[in-house]
Amino acid sequence: MTDAPPSSATNPGTAHGSPPHGGRTGAPERSPWAALWALVIGFFMILVDTTIVSVANPAIKAALDPDTNNLDNVVWVTSAYLLAYAVPLLITGRLGDRFGPKTIYLVGLSVFTLASLGCGLSATLEMLIVFRAAQGLGAALMTPQTMAIITRTFPPNRRGAAMGLWGGASGVAMLVGPLAGGLLVDAFGWESIFFVNLPVGVVGFVMAMILVPRLETHRHRFDVVGVMLSAVALFLIVFGLQEGEHFDWAAWVWGLIAAGVVVMAVFIWQQFRTKSEALVPMALFRERNFSVANVGIATVGFTVTSMSLPLMFFVQLARGLTPTESALLLVPMALAAGVLSPFAGRLLDRTDPRFLLVPGMLIVSTSLFWYAALMNVDTPIWMYLLPSALMGIGQAGMWGPLATTATRNLQPRQAGAGAGIYNTTRTIGSVLGSAAIAAFMQGRLEANIPGIDDAPAGIGSGALPSIVAEPFSAAMAQTTLLPASVMLIGVAAVLFLKRPEGLRTRDDR
């Protein structure tokens, strides 16, 4: 399951230099569709790579961290990527405006592809974590440029179709990623999920170099202090949450978390004080729907990133499924979300977003509670397909409506900054979800299997013996209650949305 698939409205790439009516500043007269297909390759690779890693986590644990029973170590493979992805997002969009979105996109794609080679060659868990962080930096450079190029090369009357194709890549990646990950891990080992990025990255680079136009650049002031403060705050909070269980929640761990909160408060104060091109224009939060949607997407990012970890460990270790068989359990979710999302998008133009968001997010939470109830050694495997399908139905009414509602009422000049903040909020939710689920998962393991830290290593190195599988299943089921509950916070938040002005009451294509 993807840690959070970005929708077309979630990326911070709207160029500040675009004409007020969405014209094609600096773009050639040729059709922009060829450039869009070139960009989809890189975007698709980022999304697939995330879902592939979630399926491969047990295999990575067995290969690179076989000597401990801690699951929080391997979760850093995901957290390092998300952390390095989240922190630069607020500024990488402006880098594209300053140096050209094509240039920054190609730099990001190069970094991502070379980091994938490093991941595949990693001989230790620490080395893999470092290269995953490099991948996250490459993804952060790429993501905002893709939407900037779409916004500046497609006229308004054709931009919706382009955005639709762009968003459709997320749904396809949700299906292809886990299946490809399972097949590759089973056939060639966990390293292959990173090596497969090399030919894709090379093809994507060549196509982007040839087909993507060079666009007009604009000067920007870069809030270096804001970047540093936000990076330090996030690292302190995430490190404290994820490593707290490992260090028995010692006083210094709580001190790290508290320091992170203080630095985050200083960052917010500094943003209010910054008058010229603040990293986060705080005035945007005066728009109620924007503020509420950011709370909602933070809970969504937390949930979709954290929910896959206990599920994948459960089905592979407690039930003995292969990575491929585990991935097949996610097919109903991907199909349901892919089929229903376009209908939800059309309905959103005519109805209050709460009519889609409340039931959609509630259905996702319900499916997780259902998963938790089924996560034991006696449930027939086919039954896990049912909550998977239910989750896909819920996700269809969640991603698009949240993203669209967040920026619908913003002024055109605010759209780029608003989308950037929204995308960053989603990723920060994902980072916190990855860190929190690691701590909670390890805590539940120690509660259900006393003395697990002192026991001979065995977690993550193949199917568990039946005497351990039952309490392990209980621990994973209890862990799944965390993302299920956090999603309910999102449901409560979106109740405070207001109906946007100017909704269509009929199909006026």
Side-chain angles (χ1 to χ4, degrees), residues 262-330:
V262 170
V263 175
M264 184 63 72
V266 172
F267 167 70
I268 294 172
W269 174 82
Q270 183 255 355
Q271 292 300 291
F272 273 112
R273 298 272 298 178
T274 302
K275 303 301 182 185
S276 176
E277 294 202 60
L279 200 59
V280 178
M282 304 305 290
L284 292 177
F285 290 94
R286 294 172 185 162
E287 209 289 305
R288 188 168 87 183
N289 278 7
F290 179 78
S291 298
V292 172
N294 271 274
V295 175
I297 197 60
T299 64
V300 168
F302 185 108
T303 299
V304 298
T305 300
S306 58
M307 67 187 183
S308 63
L309 290 167
L311 177 62
M312 287 296 106
F313 276 111
F314 163 73
V315 296
Q316 292 186 38
L317 301 185
R319 301 304 303 268
L321 269 63
T322 66
T324 301
E325 292 166 342
S326 304
L328 290 172
L329 296 179
L330 308 181

Coordinates of all heavy atoms in Angstrom, one line a residue, residues 262-330:
V262 N 9.6 22.3 20.3 CA 10.0 23.7 20.5 C 10.5 24.3 19.2 O 10.2 25.4 18.9 CB 11.0 23.8 21.7 CG1 11.6 25.2 21.7 CG2 10.4 23.4 23.0
V263 N 11.4 23.5 18.5 CA 12.0 24.1 17.3 C 10.9 24.3 16.3 O 10.9 25.2 15.5 CB 13.1 23.1 16.8 CG1 13.6 23.6 15.4 CG2 14.2 23.0 17.7
M264 N 9.9 23.4 16.2 CA 8.8 23.6 15.3 C 8.0 24.8 15.6 O 7.6 25.6 14.7 CB 7.9 22.3 15.3 CG 6.7 22.4 14.3 SD 7.3 22.4 12.6 CE 7.8 20.7 12.4
A265 N 7.8 25.1 16.9 CA 7.1 26.3 17.3 C 7.9 27.6 16.9 O 7.4 28.6 16.4 CB 6.9 26.3 18.8
V266 N 9.3 27.5 17.0 CA 10.1 28.6 16.6 C 10.0 28.8 15.1 O 10.0 29.9 14.6 CB 11.6 28.3 17.0 CG1 12.5 29.4 16.3 CG2 11.8 28.3 18.5
F267 N 9.9 27.6 14.3 CA 9.8 27.7 12.9 C 8.5 28.4 12.5 O 8.5 29.3 11.6 CB 9.8 26.3 12.3 CG 9.3 26.2 10.9 CD1 10.1 26.7 9.8 CD2 8.1 25.6 10.6 CE1 9.7 26.6 8.5 CE2 7.7 25.5 9.2 CZ 8.4 26.1 8.2
I268 N 7.4 28.1 13.2 CA 6.1 28.7 12.9 C 6.2 30.2 13.2 O 5.7 31.0 12.4 CB 5.0 28.0 13.7 CG1 4.8 26.6 13.2 CG2 3.7 28.8 13.6 CD1 3.9 25.8 14.0
W269 N 6.8 30.6 14.4 CA 6.9 32.0 14.7 C 7.8 32.7 13.7 O 7.4 33.8 13.2 CB 7.6 32.1 16.1 CG 8.0 33.5 16.5 CD1 7.2 34.4 17.1 CD2 9.3 34.1 16.4 NE1 7.9 35.6 17.3 CE2 9.1 35.4 16.9 CE3 10.5 33.7 15.9 CZ2 10.2 36.3 16.9 CZ3 11.6 34.5 15.9 CH2 11.4 35.8 16.4
Q270 N 8.9 32.0 13.2 CA 9.7 32.7 12.2 C 9.0 32.9 10.9 O 9.2 33.9 10.2 CB 10.9 31.8 12.0 CG 12.0 32.4 11.0 CD 11.9 31.7 9.6 OE1 11.2 30.7 9.4 NE2 12.7 32.2 8.7
Q271 N 8.1 32.0 10.5 CA 7.3 32.1 9.3 C 6.3 33.3 9.4 O 6.1 34.0 8.4 CB 6.5 30.8 9.0 CG 7.4 29.6 8.6 CD 8.3 29.9 7.4 OE1 7.8 30.0 6.3 NE2 9.6 30.1 7.6
F272 N 5.7 33.5 10.6 CA 4.9 34.6 10.8 C 5.7 36.0 10.6 O 5.1 36.9 10.1 CB 4.2 34.6 12.1 CG 2.9 33.8 12.2 CD1 2.8 32.6 12.9 CD2 1.8 34.3 11.5 CE1 1.7 31.9 12.9 CE2 0.6 33.5 11.6 CZ 0.5 32.3 12.3
R273 N 6.9 35.9 11.1 CA 7.7 37.1 11.1 C 8.3 37.4 9.7 O 8.7 38.6 9.4 CB 8.9 37.0 12.1 CG 8.4 36.8 13.5 CD 8.3 38.1 14.2 NE 9.5 38.9 14.3 CZ 9.6 40.1 14.8 NH1 8.5 40.6 15.3 NH2 10.8 40.7 14.9
T274 N 8.4 36.4 8.8 CA 9.0 36.6 7.5 C 8.0 37.2 6.6 O 7.0 36.6 6.3 CB 9.5 35.2 7.0 OG1 10.5 34.6 7.9 CG2 10.2 35.4 5.6
K275 N 8.4 38.4 6.1 CA 7.4 39.1 5.2 C 7.6 38.9 3.7 O 6.7 39.0 2.9 CB 7.5 40.6 5.5 CG 7.3 41.0 7.0 CD 5.9 40.5 7.4 CE 5.6 40.9 8.9 NZ 4.3 40.4 9.4
S276 N 8.9 38.5 3.4 CA 9.2 38.4 2.0 C 9.4 36.9 1.6 O 10.4 36.3 2.0 CB 10.5 39.2 1.6 OG 10.9 38.9 0.3
E277 N 8.4 36.3 0.9 CA 8.5 34.9 0.4 C 8.8 33.9 1.5 O 9.8 33.2 1.5 CB 9.5 34.8 -0.7 CG 9.0 35.6 -2.0 CD 9.7 35.0 -3.2 OE1 9.5 33.8 -3.5 OE2 10.4 35.8 -3.9
A278 N 7.9 33.9 2.5 CA 8.1 32.9 3.6 C 8.0 31.5 3.0 O 7.3 31.3 2.0 CB 7.0 33.1 4.7
L279 N 8.6 30.6 3.7 CA 8.6 29.2 3.2 C 7.1 28.7 3.3 O 6.6 28.0 2.4 CB 9.5 28.3 4.1 CG 9.9 27.0 3.6 CD1 10.7 27.1 2.3 CD2 10.8 26.3 4.6
V280 N 6.4 29.1 4.4 CA 5.0 28.7 4.5 C 4.2 30.0 4.7 O 4.2 30.6 5.8 CB 4.8 27.8 5.7 CG1 3.3 27.5 5.9 CG2 5.6 26.5 5.6
P281 N 3.5 30.5 3.7 CA 2.7 31.8 3.9 C 1.6 31.5 4.8 O 0.6 30.9 4.4 CB 2.3 32.1 2.4 CG 3.2 31.3 1.5 CD 3.6 30.1 2.3
M282 N 1.7 31.9 6.1 CA 0.7 31.6 7.1 C -0.7 32.1 6.8 O -1.7 31.6 7.3 CB 1.2 32.0 8.4 CG 2.6 31.5 8.8 SD 2.7 29.7 8.8 CE 1.7 29.2 10.2
A283 N -0.7 33.2 6.0 CA -2.0 33.8 5.7 C -3.0 32.8 5.0 O -4.2 33.0 5.0 CB -1.8 35.0 4.8
L284 N -2.4 31.8 4.3 CA -3.2 30.8 3.6 C -4.1 30.1 4.6 O -5.2 29.6 4.2 CB -2.3 29.8 2.9 CG -1.5 30.3 1.7 CD1 -0.6 29.2 1.1 CD2 -2.4 30.9 0.6
F285 N -3.7 29.9 5.8 CA -4.5 29.2 6.8 C -5.7 29.9 7.3 O -6.5 29.4 8.1 CB -3.6 28.7 8.0 CG -2.6 27.7 7.6 CD1 -1.3 28.0 7.2 CD2 -2.9 26.3 7.5 CE1 -0.4 27.1 6.8 CE2 -2.0 25.4 7.2 CZ -0.7 25.8 6.8
R286 N -5.9 31.2 6.8 CA -7.1 31.9 7.2 C -8.3 31.3 6.4 O -9.5 31.6 6.7 CB -6.9 33.4 6.9 CG -5.9 34.1 7.8 CD -5.6 35.5 7.3 NE -4.5 36.1 8.1 CZ -3.9 37.1 7.7 NH1 -4.1 37.7 6.6 NH2 -2.9 37.6 8.5
E287 N -8.0 30.7 5.3 CA -9.1 30.0 4.5 C -9.4 28.7 5.1 O -8.6 27.8 5.2 CB -8.6 29.8 3.0 CG -9.7 29.8 2.0 CD -10.6 28.6 2.0 OE1 -10.1 27.5 2.0 OE2 -11.8 28.8 2.2
R288 N -10.7 28.6 5.6 CA -11.0 27.4 6.5 C -10.9 26.1 5.8 O -10.3 25.2 6.3 CB -12.5 27.6 7.0 CG -12.9 26.5 8.0 CD -14.2 26.9 8.7 NE -15.3 26.4 7.9 CZ -16.6 26.6 8.3 NH1 -16.8 27.3 9.3 NH2 -17.6 26.1 7.5
N289 N -11.3 26.0 4.5 CA -11.2 24.7 3.8 C -9.8 24.3 3.6 O -9.5 23.1 3.7 CB -11.9 24.8 2.5 CG -13.4 24.6 2.6 OD1 -14.0 24.5 3.8 ND2 -14.1 24.5 1.5
F290 N -8.9 25.3 3.4 CA -7.5 24.9 3.2 C -6.9 24.4 4.6 O -6.2 23.4 4.6 CB -6.7 26.2 2.8 CG -5.2 25.9 2.7 CD1 -4.7 25.3 1.5 CD2 -4.3 26.3 3.6 CE1 -3.4 25.1 1.4 CE2 -3.0 26.1 3.5 CZ -2.5 25.5 2.4
S291 N -7.2 25.0 5.7 CA -6.7 24.6 7.0 C -7.3 23.2 7.3 O -6.5 22.3 7.7 CB -7.1 25.6 8.1 OG -6.5 26.8 7.8
V292 N -8.6 23.0 7.1 CA -9.2 21.7 7.5 C -8.7 20.6 6.6 O -8.4 19.5 7.1 CB -10.7 21.8 7.4 CG1 -11.4 20.5 7.6 CG2 -11.2 22.8 8.5
A293 N -8.5 20.9 5.3 CA -8.0 19.9 4.4 C -6.6 19.5 4.7 O -6.2 18.3 4.6 CB -8.1 20.4 2.9
N294 N -5.8 20.4 5.2 CA -4.4 20.0 5.6 C -4.4 19.1 6.8 O -3.6 18.2 6.9 CB -3.6 21.3 5.9 CG -2.9 21.8 4.7 OD1 -1.8 21.4 4.4 ND2 -3.6 22.7 4.0
V295 N -5.4 19.3 7.8 CA -5.5 18.4 8.9 C -5.9 17.0 8.4 O -5.4 16.0 8.8 CB -6.5 18.9 9.9 CG1 -6.7 17.9 11.1 CG2 -6.0 20.2 10.5
G296 N -6.9 17.0 7.5 CA -7.3 15.8 6.9 C -6.3 15.0 6.2 O -6.1 13.8 6.4
I297 N -5.5 15.7 5.4 CA -4.5 15.0 4.6 C -3.3 14.5 5.5 O -2.7 13.5 5.2 CB -3.9 15.9 3.4 CG1 -3.2 15.0 2.4 CG2 -3.0 17.0 3.9 CD1 -4.1 13.9 1.7
A298 N -3.1 15.2 6.6 CA -2.1 14.7 7.5 C -2.5 13.4 8.1 O -1.6 12.5 8.2 CB -1.8 15.7 8.6
T299 N -3.7 13.2 8.5 CA -4.2 12.0 9.0 C -4.2 10.9 7.9 O -3.9 9.7 8.2 CB -5.6 12.1 9.6 OG1 -6.6 12.4 8.6 CG2 -5.6 13.2 10.7
V300 N -4.5 11.3 6.7 CA -4.5 10.3 5.6 C -3.1 9.8 5.3 O -2.8 8.6 5.2 CB -5.1 10.9 4.3 CG1 -4.8 10.0 3.1 CG2 -6.6 11.1 4.5
G301 N -2.1 10.8 5.3 CA -0.7 10.4 5.1 C -0.2 9.5 6.2 O 0.5 8.5 5.9
F302 N -0.6 9.8 7.4 CA -0.2 8.9 8.6 C -0.8 7.5 8.4 O -0.1 6.5 8.6 CB -0.8 9.6 9.9 CG -0.4 8.9 11.1 CD1 0.5 9.5 12.0 CD2 -1.0 7.7 11.5 CE1 0.9 8.8 13.2 CE2 -0.6 7.0 12.7 CZ 0.3 7.6 13.5
T303 N -2.1 7.5 8.0 CA -2.8 6.2 8.0 C -2.2 5.3 6.9 O -1.9 4.1 7.1 CB -4.3 6.4 7.8 OG1 -4.8 7.1 8.9 CG2 -5.0 5.1 7.7
V304 N -2.2 5.8 5.6 CA -1.8 4.9 4.5 C -0.4 4.5 4.5 O 0.0 3.4 4.0 CB -2.1 5.6 3.2 CG1 -3.6 6.0 3.0 CG2 -1.3 6.9 3.0
T305 N 0.5 5.3 5.2 CA 1.9 4.8 5.3 C 2.0 3.8 6.4 O 2.8 2.8 6.2 CB 2.8 6.1 5.7 OG1 2.7 7.0 4.6 CG2 4.2 5.6 5.8
S306 N 1.3 4.0 7.5 CA 1.5 3.1 8.7 C 0.8 1.8 8.6 O 1.2 0.8 9.1 CB 1.1 3.8 10.0 OG -0.2 4.2 9.9
M307 N -0.3 1.7 7.8 CA -1.2 0.6 7.8 C -0.5 -0.6 7.1 O -0.8 -1.8 7.4 CB -2.5 0.9 7.2 CG -2.5 1.2 5.7 SD -4.1 1.7 5.1 CE -3.8 1.9 3.4
S308 N 0.3 -0.4 6.2 CA 0.9 -1.5 5.4 C 1.9 -2.3 6.1 O 2.1 -3.5 5.9 CB 1.5 -1.0 4.1 OG 2.6 -0.1 4.3
L309 N 2.6 -1.7 7.1 CA 3.7 -2.4 7.8 C 3.2 -3.6 8.6 O 3.7 -4.7 8.4 CB 4.5 -1.4 8.6 CG 5.3 -0.4 7.8 CD1 5.8 0.7 8.7 CD2 6.5 -1.1 7.2
P310 N 2.3 -3.4 9.5 CA 1.8 -4.6 10.3 C 1.1 -5.6 9.4 O 1.3 -6.8 9.7 CB 0.8 -4.0 11.3 CG 0.4 -2.7 10.8 CD 1.6 -2.2 10.0
L311 N 0.4 -5.2 8.4 CA -0.3 -6.1 7.5 C 0.7 -7.0 6.8 O 0.6 -8.2 6.7 CB -1.2 -5.4 6.5 CG -1.9 -6.3 5.5 CD1 -2.8 -7.2 6.2 CD2 -2.6 -5.4 4.5
M312 N 1.8 -6.4 6.2 CA 2.7 -7.2 5.4 C 3.5 -8.1 6.3 O 3.8 -9.3 6.0 CB 3.7 -6.3 4.7 CG 3.1 -5.6 3.5 SD 2.5 -6.7 2.2 CE 0.8 -6.7 2.4
F313 N 3.9 -7.7 7.5 CA 4.6 -8.6 8.4 C 3.7 -9.7 8.9 O 4.2 -10.8 9.0 CB 5.1 -7.8 9.6 CG 6.5 -7.1 9.4 CD1 6.6 -5.7 9.3 CD2 7.6 -7.8 9.3 CE1 7.8 -5.1 9.1 CE2 8.8 -7.2 9.1 CZ 8.9 -5.9 9.0
F314 N 2.5 -9.4 9.1 CA 1.5 -10.5 9.5 C 1.3 -11.5 8.5 O 1.5 -12.7 8.7 CB 0.2 -9.8 9.9 CG -0.9 -10.8 10.0 CD1 -1.0 -11.7 11.0 CD2 -1.9 -10.9 9.0 CE1 -2.0 -12.7 11.1 CE2 -2.9 -11.9 9.0 CZ -3.0 -12.7 10.1
V315 N 1.0 -11.1 7.2 CA 0.7 -12.2 6.2 C 1.9 -12.9 5.8 O 1.8 -14.1 5.4 CB 0.0 -11.5 5.0 CG1 -1.4 -11.0 5.4 CG2 0.9 -10.5 4.3
Q316 N 3.1 -12.3 5.9 CA 4.3 -13.0 5.4 C 4.9 -13.9 6.6 O 5.4 -15.0 6.3 CB 5.3 -12.1 4.9 CG 4.9 -11.4 3.6 CD 6.0 -10.6 2.9 OE1 7.1 -10.9 3.0 NE2 5.6 -9.4 2.3
L317 N 4.9 -13.4 7.8 CA 5.6 -14.1 8.9 C 4.6 -15.0 9.7 O 5.0 -16.1 10.0 CB 6.2 -13.1 9.8 CG 7.3 -12.2 9.2 CD1 8.0 -11.4 10.3 CD2 8.3 -13.0 8.4
A318 N 3.4 -14.5 10.0 CA 2.5 -15.3 10.8 C 1.7 -16.3 9.9 O 1.4 -17.4 10.4 CB 1.5 -14.4 11.5
R319 N 1.4 -15.9 8.6 CA 0.6 -16.8 7.7 C 1.5 -17.5 6.7 O 1.0 -18.3 5.9 CB -0.5 -16.0 7.1 CG -1.5 -15.4 8.1 CD -2.1 -16.4 9.1 NE -2.8 -17.5 8.4 CZ -4.1 -17.4 8.1 NH1 -4.8 -16.4 8.4 NH2 -4.6 -18.4 7.4
G320 N 2.8 -17.1 6.5 CA 3.7 -17.8 5.6 C 3.5 -17.5 4.2 O 3.9 -18.2 3.3
L321 N 2.8 -16.4 3.8 CA 2.7 -16.0 2.4 C 4.0 -15.5 1.8 O 4.8 -14.9 2.5 CB 1.6 -15.0 2.2 CG 0.1 -15.5 2.0 CD1 -0.4 -16.2 3.2 CD2 -0.8 -14.3 1.8
T322 N 4.2 -15.7 0.5 CA 5.3 -15.1 -0.2 C 5.0 -13.6 -0.4 O 3.9 -13.2 -0.4 CB 5.6 -15.8 -1.5 OG1 4.4 -15.6 -2.4 CG2 5.7 -17.3 -1.3
P323 N 6.1 -12.9 -0.8 CA 5.8 -11.5 -1.1 C 4.8 -11.3 -2.3 O 3.9 -10.4 -2.3 CB 7.2 -11.0 -1.5 CG 8.1 -11.8 -0.7 CD 7.5 -13.1 -0.6
T324 N 4.8 -12.2 -3.3 CA 3.9 -12.2 -4.4 C 2.5 -12.4 -3.9 O 1.5 -11.7 -4.3 CB 4.3 -13.2 -5.5 OG1 5.6 -12.9 -6.0 CG2 3.3 -13.1 -6.6
E325 N 2.3 -13.5 -3.1 CA 1.0 -13.8 -2.6 C 0.4 -12.6 -1.7 O -0.7 -12.3 -1.7 CB 1.0 -15.1 -1.8 CG 1.3 -16.3 -2.6 CD 1.7 -17.5 -1.8 OE1 2.1 -17.4 -0.6 OE2 1.6 -18.7 -2.4
S326 N 1.3 -12.0 -0.9 CA 0.9 -10.9 -0.1 C 0.4 -9.7 -1.0 O -0.6 -9.1 -0.6 CB 2.1 -10.4 0.8 OG 2.6 -11.5 1.6
A327 N 1.2 -9.5 -2.0 CA 0.8 -8.4 -2.9 C -0.6 -8.6 -3.6 O -1.3 -7.7 -3.8 CB 1.9 -8.2 -4.0
L328 N -0.9 -9.9 -3.9 CA -2.2 -10.2 -4.5 C -3.4 -9.8 -3.6 O -4.5 -9.5 -4.1 CB -2.3 -11.6 -4.9 CG -1.3 -12.1 -6.1 CD1 -1.4 -13.6 -6.2 CD2 -1.8 -11.4 -7.4
L329 N -3.1 -9.8 -2.3 CA -4.2 -9.4 -1.4 C -4.6 -7.9 -1.6 O -5.7 -7.5 -1.1 CB -3.8 -9.6 0.1 CG -3.6 -11.1 0.4 CD1 -3.1 -11.2 1.9 CD2 -4.8 -11.9 0.2
L330 N -3.7 -7.1 -2.2 CA -4.0 -5.7 -2.3 C -4.6 -5.4 -3.7 O -5.0 -4.2 -3.9 CB -2.6 -4.9 -2.3 CG -1.8 -5.2 -1.0 CD1 -0.5 -4.3 -1.1 CD2 -2.5 -4.9 0.2

